[in-house]
Amino acid sequence: MDYVSYVAVVICIWVMLAISQNLVLGYAGLFSLCQGAFFGIGAYTSAIMYLNFGSNIFVSAIVGAFISSLMGIAIAMPSLRLKGDYFFIATLALQIIMFNLFVCWESVTKGPLGIYGVFRPKILGMSLNTNISYFLFALFFVFLCYYLSRRVCNASFGLTLKAIREDEVGAEAVGKNILKFKVLVFVFSAIWASLAGTLYIYFIGAVDPFAFTLEESIFILSIAIVGGMGNLRGSVLGAVVLIAIPELLKFAAMPESIAHQARNLIYGVCLILFMMFRPQGLIGEYRME
Amino acid sequence: MGFLQLLFNGIVTGTIFSLFAISFSIIYGTTKVFHFAHGMVFTCGAYFTFVFHVLVGMNIVPSILLSMVFTAILGMAINLIIYEPLQRRKAGPLVILVGSLGTYISLNAIVCLIFTSNVQVISAGTGSVFTLASVHITPTQVVVIGIAIVINCFLALFFMKTEAGLSIRALGEDSELAEIFGMSPRKIKYMIFAIGSALASIGATLNALDIGTVDPGVGLHALLVCFVALVVGGMENIPGAAVGGFIVGMIYHLSIWRIEAKWQQVIVFLVLLTVLLVKPEGLFKRKKGKI
């Protein structure tokens, strides 16, 4: 039971990440590969806030979200000029720079060894030391994330994003400020990725840079794509499928390193097969071009 | 380290990086496929050489040649298994990019499963180092520069003079027109993938010999170098990519002069972002009709 709720918390965290990727890619049609960087900013900021200032989880979450939304603004600003492959390379550059920052900025991030000793938070006098209680806590955030994203996407904001995705010039012609919408959706998405990072660090208790590599960003991308783009339920489904199924590999008594590579192989093959036979994902509403 | 030594190391790395960039640019500039899986083509190129040279114990020259053949086959196989079916389904560039990412992840997992993700030693020691004007030069570095010059001359001749090279350029310029003139885009694409992958194998092998080891991460590193070189030199422009790769190699080593080596990659990517923001078409603008 403890193991099941452990997996459930992991799924919760990746649902938030997938929603954050889905907002940018599925709704706004911006191909970004830097969700892992926002995730890392959230995790590192929370860890540093906790250890240096003893701040509680909510304060760390807000500070982390603030910093990653600044990064979101920075990467969204050039999105008007950079299209397609160029924008992809720019987000890739952000991902690589952030990863190197986590590894190299040793005075703050402790370098490749990472930061240890973050304990589970106390909420309303209750300690979240069991996985089940932490799961309920994380579930609350997932619901918050899902509900707010849904509200936003069904409102005129989401409709405008879809309009921009389908026809940017057309959306501009009817008087929409494209840059404003792109920046806002990036900020919104960065906040959820950063919150997922906060949940992650308080759950695991330790953080090192290798959790936020390019591979991680590709993994988040595959959850969003397999689940279905332009549909938030798709992200939930994608996270459940792509995390729960490889977890079963653990019962096949493989060594950890082989299981890890087998998992990657599954994700890679999934991406290829979906692109060939169902590019919109399981229950997606948007077909990439 | 002295400035001259860094300058020389920069030239060696720069020539290797320009091979990386050319191999990527040949494919990207002509087929318009954003070939992310090229990263694993680099890795496999280095590992093929490792297998033939270290595990089988062959001489270095035949192992490089065999590695080129196998890597070319790998590149064509990726085109056959991944890109052609996607293009037949009228997939757009983003779908092909995601398919390429999937290929990259899968091949990476396969290489890690076969060879583990540990670092493997490919050449023992650096041989006899000789010193010229306080610059230490290893025989490998001389060979690297020599091979790079030969390949660049050969490529220039190939693209200027031979029919195959001209047809590749024609395809990159206008694939419909090329088809009207009786060329077969499908055949040319396979040729492009073969040449690009074989070049990637040489580049990755020279890089492995220069640093002395191979590991599954080299491909990603080479691929990132390609992106920076392409953006700096101008996308779809083969000589521009070559110069871009050279510049990246120089930045890599000259930055150590004043800044700690661990920040190399950050500096290179900051250069990339700056170029993207200020001059997205690259530093060397390409005239229509030139390579």
Side-chain angles (χ1 to χ4, degrees):
Chain A
M1 196 58 208
D2 200 45
Y3 175 69
V4 172
S5 43
Y6 173 87
V7 175
V9 175
V10 174
I11 291 178
C12 281
I13 292 171
W14 263 265
V15 165
M16 288 175 78
L17 289 170
I19 288 179
S20 118
Q21 176 85 54
N22 202 344
L23 287 167
V24 173
L25 178 61
Y27 283 89
L30 294 165
F31 197 103
S32 85
L33 200 61
C34 55
Q35 247 53 35
F38 296 137
F39 182 39
I41 293 173
Y44 265 100
T45 314
S46 305
I48 292 162
M49 289 288 293
Y50 177 88
L51 290 175
N52 291 0
F53 310 107
S55 78
N56 77 24
I57 185 166
F58 297 105
V59 178
S60 332
I62 291 169
V63 175
F66 178 71
I67 295 177
S68 40
S69 47
L70 287 184
M71 295 303 288
I73 295 174
I75 198 68
M77 286 305 266
S79 68
L80 274 188
R81 295 185 65 188
L82 305 175
K83 300 275 184 263
D85 300 341
Y86 286 80
F87 186 70
F88 168 73
I89 291 182
T91 59
L92 187 76
L94 179 75
Q95 165 68 42
I96 303 290
I97 289 176
M98 287 315 299
F99 172 70
N100 276 289
L101 214 58
F102 296 147
V103 176
C104 300
W105 197 9
E106 278 163 9
S107 56
V108 173
T109 64
K110 306 277 193 300
L113 295 176
I115 300 177
Y116 295 90
V118 177
F119 293 105
R120 300 262 176 102
K122 270 196 177 127
I123 307 295
L124 306 171
M126 281 189 303
S127 174
L128 301 178
N129 278 331
T130 58
N131 284 343
I132 296 177
S133 58
Y134 201 88
F135 167 63
L136 294 174
F137 178 66
L139 200 60
F140 166 73
F141 278 95
V142 170
F143 269 117
L144 189 73
C145 168
Y146 182 81
Y147 176 71
L148 286 179
S149 307
R150 202 184 151 87
R151 280 299 291 269
V152 164
C153 289
N154 287 341
S156 71
F157 180 76
L159 296 178
T160 313
L161 284 180
K162 286 183 183 173
I164 293 173
R165 176 186 86 194
E166 299 299 332
D167 186 350
E168 195 168 319
V169 180
E172 200 167 11
V174 294
K176 298 293 180 191
N177 183 346
I178 309 276
L179 184 62
K180 188 182 97 185
F181 281 94
K182 285 186 172 174
V183 169
L184 280 178
V185 75
F186 248 100
V187 167
F188 197 56
S189 138
I191 288 173
W192 294 123
S194 158
L195 271 180
T198 306
L199 284 179
Y200 173 83
I201 174 70
Y202 277 92
F203 179 56
I204 305 284
V207 62
D208 69 65
F210 304 101
F212 313 109
T213 53
L214 180 63
E215 253 176 40
E216 200 56 41
S217 282
I218 298 180
F219 176 47
I220 297 169
L221 180 79
S222 26
I223 295 179
I225 285 179
V226 167
M229 275 171 306
N231 185 339
L232 293 172
R233 273 169 300 167
S235 301
V236 180
L237 182 67
V240 173
V241 169
L242 276 193
I243 290 181
I245 291 177
E247 282 296 329
L248 297 177
L249 284 178
K250 286 200 177 151
F251 297 107
M254 279 189 219
E256 176 55 32
S257 60
I258 292 181
H260 177 73
Q261 298 307 336
R263 215 148 52 209
N264 279 346
L265 193 60
I266 293 176
Y267 300 148
V269 173
C270 262
L271 271 185
I272 298 171
L273 292 179
F274 267 92
M275 285 303 105
M276 284 199 188
F277 302 110
R278 205 172 160 78
Q280 71 271 45
L282 287 173
I283 49 174
E285 290 168 5
Y286 165 51
R287 260 187 113 107
M288 279 193 302
E289 287 184 356
Chain B
M1 262 194 278
F3 183 76
L4 276 179
Q5 178 74 52
L6 291 175
L7 195 68
F8 178 73
N9 291 352
I11 291 172
V12 175
T13 310
T15 47
I16 295 175
F17 283 5
S18 67
L19 283 180
F20 288 168
I22 293 172
S23 75
F24 187 82
S25 168
I26 286 179
I27 296 174
Y28 181 73
T30 47
T31 64
K32 310 286 185 272
V33 169
F34 200 89
H35 189 22
F36 201 92
H38 201 54
M40 281 324 288
V41 174
F42 286 122
T43 307
C44 293
Y47 269 96
F48 280 132
T49 313
F50 168 74
V51 167
F52 292 123
H53 183 51
V54 179
L55 298 186
V56 181
M58 288 164 80
N59 224 331
I60 187 69
V61 178
S63 28
I64 291 180
L65 292 176
L66 271 176
S67 156
M68 279 170 70
V69 173
F70 276 86
T71 318
I73 292 172
L74 174 73
M76 289 194 284
I78 293 175
N79 188 35
L80 175 74
I81 299 168
I82 312 289
Y83 299 135
E84 272 201 346
L86 283 176
Q87 280 157 346
R88 225 178 295 135
R89 291 184 168 79
K90 303 268 176 284
L94 282 186
V95 173
I96 293 182
L97 172 54
V98 176
S100 196
L101 282 172
T103 315
Y104 169 84
I105 291 281
S106 321
L107 283 175
N108 191 37
I110 292 172
V111 170
C112 288
L113 283 176
I114 298 176
F115 295 100
T116 75
S117 46
N118 298 335
V119 174
Q120 314 270 5
V121 177
I122 192 166
S123 67
T126 46
S128 52
V129 179
F130 58 94
T131 311
L132 190 77
S134 80
V135 177
H136 301 291
I137 302 171
T138 67
T140 321
Q141 289 176 318
V142 178
V143 173
V144 166
I145 294 183
I147 293 182
I149 292 173
V150 171
I151 288 175
N152 277 323
C153 296
F154 174 75
L155 277 180
L157 276 177
F158 176 73
F159 281 112
M160 299 286 190
K161 299 291 178 200
T162 66
E163 197 172 332
L166 287 174
S167 62
I168 288 177
R169 282 170 61 196
L171 189 78
E173 209 64 46
D174 189 336
S175 69
E176 278 178 26
L177 200 59
E179 204 168 352
I180 290 170
F181 273 84
M183 300 169 193
S184 154
R186 190 160 175 263
K187 263 190 209 160
I188 300 175
K189 274 183 190 164
Y190 277 108
M191 191 163 71
I192 292 166
F193 273 93
I195 295 173
S197 306
L199 272 180
S201 150
I202 304 177
T205 303
L206 291 182
N207 185 47
L209 291 176
D210 187 33
I211 58 180
T213 55
V214 281
D215 66 274
V218 290
L220 180 63
H221 176 248
L223 188 70
L224 296 175
V225 167
C226 289
F227 292 160
V228 184
L230 244 62
V231 169
V232 171
M235 296 251 201
E236 309 179 9
N237 170 354
I238 297 170
V243 177
F246 193 77
I247 293 176
V248 176
M250 293 301 259
I251 297 175
Y252 244 73
H253 283 279
L254 291 186
S255 64
I256 307 178
W257 195 34
R258 284 285 174 262
I259 307 168
E260 272 183 86
K262 62 183 184 181
W263 295 104
Q264 270 175 331
Q265 213 169 23
V266 174
I267 292 168
V268 168
F269 274 88
L270 286 177
V271 171
L272 165 83
L273 280 182
T274 319
V275 174
L276 265 183
L277 294 184
V278 180
K279 225 170 149 15
E281 72 274 17
L283 298 181
F284 315 102
K285 210 167 177 187
R286 161 177 178 270
K287 290 194 196 91
K288 205 118 179 105
K290 296 275 164 65
I291 304 179

